Amino acid sequence: MRPFAEIRDIAIARKGSLEAVLANLPSPKTAAELAAIPDDRWLAQMARGIFQAGISWTVVTAKWPGIEAAFHGFAPGRVAMIEGDALEALLYDPRVIRSGAKIVAIRDNAAVMAANPGFGRKVADWPASDFVGLLDWLTRDFSRLGGTTGQYLMRFMGKDGFLLSRDVVARLQAEGVIDGSATSAKARRAIQAAFDRWQAESGLSQSQISRILAQSIDAA
């Protein structure tokens, strides 16, 4: 695994400057800022990610105001009670993307959050050195937050961490961090260790390191 400065220089050579490499990358929020985000906003972003999986994000954005209204502003307690006739009505609501499995997943996630309020505080307190553990928790305790859906949730809401896109995985493979997919427990431990090392070397956030890794790969 080469020094991170060499990978950074590859990305800069491709994009022209470090500023260009990191353009439009949102800055991570502080622990206090994350903890202050209400549970309904966390659930809303979960829902957005779940709906976006496999379809155009533009479609979801266009329908979002109606989705917010149909899901009662994503108040976890209210969404958790969507069942029976209310669930049936939502399945045929023209404001909503009509995927029964996704709607039920959002309802189930609301139930978890309603039973365990303070989602933002838990995320805020989760150590950066165990970002893979945070992702594992999302996969284990919530519905449809595995893969990159949970990673995008953290990125959009401001928790510092990495995004295992195709290009990031390709760079991790090129550096010998992993020799296959990034899905096994062994691979994810190796990825966390690599990010911890690169962060100590560079002083950059994990989000910045993730972006630099992605930009160091020539797109196919």
Side-chain angles (χ1 to χ4, degrees):
M1 195 166 79
R2 78 185 79 192
F4 186 74
E6 294 184 19
I7 302 173
R8 180 201 61 204
D9 289 346
I10 294 170
I12 290 172
R14 289 191 65 247
K15 303 299 288 187
S17 68
L18 184 59
E19 290 75 17
V21 170
L22 300 177
N24 302 316
L25 181 68
S27 298
K29 290 183 171 65
T30 66
E33 289 171 334
L34 287 167
I37 299 173
D39 284 350
D40 64 275
R41 293 303 88 201
W42 287 102
L43 182 60
Q45 189 59 51
M46 285 183 192
R48 186 183 283 268
I50 289 169
F51 277 130
Q52 286 175 167
I55 69 170
S56 167
W57 290 21
T58 303
V59 171
V60 177
T61 297
K63 294 181 72 71
W64 193 252
I67 293 172
E68 278 267 3
F71 279 89
H72 311 297
F74 290 103
R78 291 199 66 183
V79 178
M81 299 299 290
I82 296 175
E83 55 186 21
D85 291 343
L87 178 59
E88 184 72 12
L90 195 57
L91 291 172
Y92 293 96
D93 192 322
R95 297 173 296 176
V96 175
I97 294 167
R98 299 179 192 180
S99 169
K102 292 182 178 183
I103 290 170
V104 169
I106 294 163
R107 189 273 313 277
D108 291 348
N109 289 343
V112 175
M113 294 181 74
N116 302 277
F119 186 91
R121 170 51 64 189
K122 186 159 187 173
V123 170
D125 290 344
W126 207 288
S129 59
D130 187 34
F131 188 66
V132 293
L134 174 57
L135 299 179
D136 289 343
W137 171 60
L138 294 175
T139 301
R140 183 183 65 249
D141 287 12
F142 293 86
S143 181
R144 291 178 174 255
L145 293 185
T148 57
T149 304
Q151 296 165 33
Y152 274 115
L153 169 67
M154 293 296 109
R155 173 66 58 84
F156 290 142
M157 296 301 285
K159 176 70 172 179
D160 188 32
F162 43 80
L163 186 60
L164 297 177
S165 67
R166 180 182 63 181
D167 288 344
V168 171
V169 170
R171 174 52 65 190
L172 291 168
Q173 292 168 339
E175 296 305 310
V177 176
I178 55 177
D179 56 12
S181 73
T183 57
S184 72
K186 179 180 179 182
R188 289 159 82 83
R189 287 194 300 270
I191 291 166
Q192 182 72 69
F195 270 85
D196 291 346
R197 172 177 160 179
W198 285 328
Q199 190 167 24
E201 286 181 20
S202 67
L204 298 171
S205 68
Q206 292 192 18
S207 299
Q208 291 172 322
I209 292 168
S210 180
R211 171 65 66 82
I212 290 168
L213 296 182
Q215 298 286 10
S216 71
I217 292 292
D218 288 323

